[in-house]
Amino acid sequence: MQQPDDPTAAGGPDAEFTRFVAARWRALTRTAYLLTGDFHEAEDLVQTTLARVYPAWRRVRPETAEHYVRRALVNTNRSRYRRRRVIHLLLPTLPDASAVEHGGGVGGGGDRDVLMRALADLPERQRAVVVLRYWEDLPAEEVAATLGCSVGTVKSQASRALAKLRGHPALADLSHPADLPLPSGLGDPR
């Protein structure tokens, strides 16, 4: 039972923020995963973004909340990307190779893992464009607003990213590239 002095009990901005986070957590984490390529970094990115957004939540209009948080997520990732240096992941033991061979990895399938590795090789802005445009299925205008660039830049970055993905050696090794788990419009950057 909530206490009367609990700010979420009255249905104010804290309650709205809590409801927004509960409703959008999975989608935000998925977008962050596609931007970072690592589930743990994705969760950290979402938490950092939400911590930055929370103080201004009272000024965010409900109809623009999704766009506001998505833009903050991309900007927070940009900051993280700029600060990032070469990172070595040190594990006490080698990962179980059989789990990766049988599709038991984070991506859930061999083709999806290959696609995630190819996506990770894209420059940060191209990766953001591909994630927002094709995974999130946002129109080019909204991607441009989220990234703070022109629609032409979104289209050119999408075109370059798709060309790099088509020419990526890991994707070329797939026996059936058409079987990749891609969203329906990934082949057309317009």
Side-chain angles (χ1 to χ4, degrees), residues 20-89:
F20 176 84
V21 170
R24 301 302 300 152
W25 177 261
R26 286 180 56 110
L28 290 169
T29 305
R30 182 190 71 225
T31 301
Y33 174 72
L34 292 169
L35 290 170
T36 64
D38 180 83
F39 180 73
H40 300 292
E41 282 186 41
E43 284 189 329
D44 288 347
L45 177 61
V46 172
Q47 289 176 3
T48 301
T49 300
L50 292 172
R52 289 182 178 177
V53 165
Y54 178 75
W57 193 254
R58 295 176 191 276
R59 296 185 306 258
V60 176
R61 294 188 318 260
E63 63 273 9
T64 62
E66 179 79 24
H67 176 75
Y68 182 81
V69 173
R70 188 181 300 115
R71 183 171 184 152
L73 182 74
V74 170
N75 288 339
T76 303
N77 184 56
R78 276 188 194 160
S79 296
R80 180 197 65 85
Y81 196 83
R82 280 192 290 261
R83 286 191 312 267
R84 188 173 70 183
R85 300 291 183 250
V86 176
I87 297 174
H88 297 280
L89 180 62

Side-chain angles (χ1 to χ4, degrees), residues 11-22:
D14 289 342
E16 291 172 16
F17 183 78
T18 301
R19 281 192 297 273
F20 176 84
V21 170

Side-chain angles (χ1 to χ4, degrees), residues 142-162:
E142 192 170 339
V143 174
T146 300
L147 297 176
C149 63
S150 70
V151 174
T153 300
V154 169
K155 289 180 179 182
S156 69
Q157 291 294 305
S159 178
R160 289 180 185 134
L162 293 175

